[in-house]
Amino acid sequence: MKALILHYANPGACPPIMRVGRLLRRRGHRVRVIGLARAADLYLSTPKDCADELRLVGGKTHRRGWDLIRFALAIASALIRFRPDVVYVSDPRTCVAFSIFGHLTSAKIIYHEHDAPRAGDVKAQRLARSLVARKAIACITPNEMRSRLLAESAARGRPVLTVWNCPDQADLERLTRHQGEAAARPIRVVYAGSLGAAKTPHALLEALALAPAARLSLIGYETRSARGFSDAFRAKAKALGVGDRVTIEGPLDHAALLLRLPRFHAAFVAFPLDTDDANLLHMAGASNKTFEALAGGLGLIVNTSEAWRTMFVDRGVALACDPSDAHSIAIALNTLAKDAQGLRRMAERGRRLVQTHWRFERQFEKALPYLEAA
């Protein structure tokens, strides 16, 4: 089977795309990936084992219109020359480019939605998403509620599968390379991902002031809407007297991040509860960093929603807090700091869950028949 994977961004920033490519190649299929290259993504790399052929589209000037045209032309070329049996379309923006030349192929289509369109996104994305989803032999999302919303809004009558964003074997090998290297004290908490007030609230700093045995590291990048966030966060930390316990560094390549995670004790993944962004609201199962942290031997600090409690707190691998309440966060931090044995037990349970149940290869089993039947 020949599979063409399309992702209108750098594939190195999308672990599920890399895992799909790796898995298909291990099963003897030929994989070609087309992604987008942008100056801001120079720190990223896509492992060679993810594709037989990788093409990153982009010019010296990155204008949305020109990027879309270049990307669509690259798709047309691949459809004609590569002649894939399956086209794996990733996310709504990719749907726009694929829809322009999709008529050139009779290949089966899989639509994998990592992030649903937001309220302010252009109508073309929603329209193209619906067209691709209804032509697909199957659609995939990383969260049960997102699957339901996709089925209701776009993929009417098509199978919609839920595949959590868990690590695969290659990820686990990196995560276990430095396992157990976190110093005993102070407790080191990490947040990795896009930086902004929604995911890394100032309440986190106020909680740090109430938890003297904890340190916080942020690893990531500022989104367009959060420019200047890092400077403001540092200033707030200094004003609260916790500046020496807070570090912020730029984004890391995925492989490099996996090597770093085991050097921390816990991951802060308490996404906001009061948001109208469906992607943030329904992150249980969708957050790569959550499962990667567990595989690396970290405990979790999650929010108090039913989905997160059921999936992580009730399984004994996380503590819950209200991410908008400094005192609630501080209770979680102090509990982890004071109960070293409890944290070790939490870490071991998390590692076992990922290794035995929450691995990508096992999660993706439900999708393989749709791909390989093509």
Side-chain angles (χ1 to χ4, degrees):
M1 181 188 77
K2 292 190 291 185
L4 176 63
I5 299 178
L6 308 175
H7 185 63
Y8 192 68
N10 193 308
C14 188
I17 289 295
M18 294 188 278
R19 293 168 190 146
V20 170
R22 263 197 296 261
L23 180 58
L24 292 180
R25 292 190 71 224
R26 283 203 302 269
R27 294 178 69 85
H29 304 304
R30 188 176 171 192
V31 177
R32 178 179 290 191
V33 176
I34 300 178
L36 202 62
R38 285 181 169 152
D41 297 333
L42 291 177
Y43 70 94
L44 292 170
S45 66
T46 303
K48 294 179 179 179
D49 62 351
C50 296
D52 296 284
E53 300 173 60
L54 169 66
R55 180 177 179 185
L56 297 181
V57 179
K60 294 181 179 179
T61 59
H62 296 285
R63 298 178 181 177
R64 289 187 181 180
W66 283 112
D67 279 344
L68 180 65
I69 292 170
R70 292 188 187 101
F71 193 74
L73 289 172
I75 292 173
S77 175
L79 293 177
I80 294 169
R81 297 179 181 179
F82 184 56
R83 292 187 170 276
D85 301 297
V86 174
V87 180
Y88 200 95
V89 183
S90 167
D91 271 352
R93 291 183 301 171
T94 309
C95 291
V96 177
F98 175 69
S99 296
I100 298 172
F101 292 112
H103 64 278
L104 296 176
T105 183
S106 58
K108 301 297 191 296
I109 298 168
I110 298 287
Y111 175 55
H112 194 153
E113 184 166 278
H114 310 287
D115 291 301
R118 294 173 173 83
D121 289 342
V122 294
K123 291 183 180 179
Q125 288 186 27
R126 294 179 180 276
L127 177 60
R129 169 188 185 241
S130 295
L131 290 172
V132 171
R134 289 170 192 174
K135 288 182 180 178
I137 56 172
C139 301
I140 300 170
T141 88
N143 171 277
E144 284 79 0
M145 183 55 70
R146 292 195 198 183
S147 291
R148 191 182 308 174
L149 293 172
L150 178 61
E152 293 171 353
S153 64
R156 295 169 189 169
R158 312 311 295 168
V160 181
L161 314 174
T162 301
V163 176
W164 293 346
N165 287 337
C166 302
D168 66 3
Q169 182 59 38
D171 293 332
L172 291 177
E173 289 171 4
R174 292 188 179 96
L175 283 161
T176 55
R177 201 173 298 172
H178 297 288
Q179 215 158 65
E181 289 192 4
R185 286 290 182 273
I187 184 169
R188 302 181 65 198
V189 179
V190 63
Y191 166 84
S194 59
L195 305 180
K199 297 179 181 178
T200 46
H202 280 187
L204 188 51
L205 291 174
E206 295 164 5
L208 210 60
L210 301 172
R215 299 181 67 91
L216 174 66
S217 294
L218 306 186
I219 303 173
Y221 58 94
E222 297 175 352
T223 60
R224 288 183 181 179
S225 60
R227 295 284 166 81
F229 172 83
S230 298
D231 290 339
F233 200 82
R234 288 189 184 96
K236 178 73 172 179
K238 186 176 180 180
L240 289 170
V242 297
D244 60 334
R245 290 191 281 132
V246 175
T247 60
I248 303 176
E249 59 183 286
L252 294 176
D253 174 76
H254 184 246
L257 178 63
L258 295 184
L259 293 174
R260 282 283 300 282
L261 282 177
R263 297 175 181 178
F264 297 93
H265 299 96
F268 184 82
V269 287
F271 296 99
L273 296 165
D274 55 341
T275 176
D276 56 2
D277 184 337
N279 295 314
L280 276 180
L281 201 58
H282 305 304
M283 284 294 288
S287 169
N288 287 280
K289 304 303 186 299
T290 298
F291 294 109
E292 290 165 357
L294 288 176
L298 282 70
L300 302 178
I301 299 175
V302 304
N303 68 31
T304 55
S305 69
E306 183 180 353
W308 285 88
R309 281 187 176 279
T310 302
M311 191 179 295
F312 299 108
V313 179
D314 292 351
R315 286 184 164 97
V317 298
L319 297 179
C321 72
D322 179 348
S324 65
D325 184 342
H327 289 276
S328 180
I329 301 171
I331 290 172
L333 292 174
N334 285 322
T335 299
L336 292 174
K338 293 175 182 176
D339 188 3
Q341 289 187 351
L343 182 56
R344 280 196 293 271
R345 288 193 296 270
M346 183 184 290
E348 186 52 40
R349 280 192 291 265
R351 273 195 294 262
R352 275 201 310 270
L353 271 171
V354 174
Q355 291 168 354
T356 58
H357 294 89
W358 290 346
R359 289 174 62 163
F360 182 77
E361 291 87 348
R362 188 163 183 173
Q363 281 287 312
F364 205 73
E365 284 176 354
K366 66 190 80 170
L368 282 172
Y370 292 95
L371 284 122
E372 297 182 329

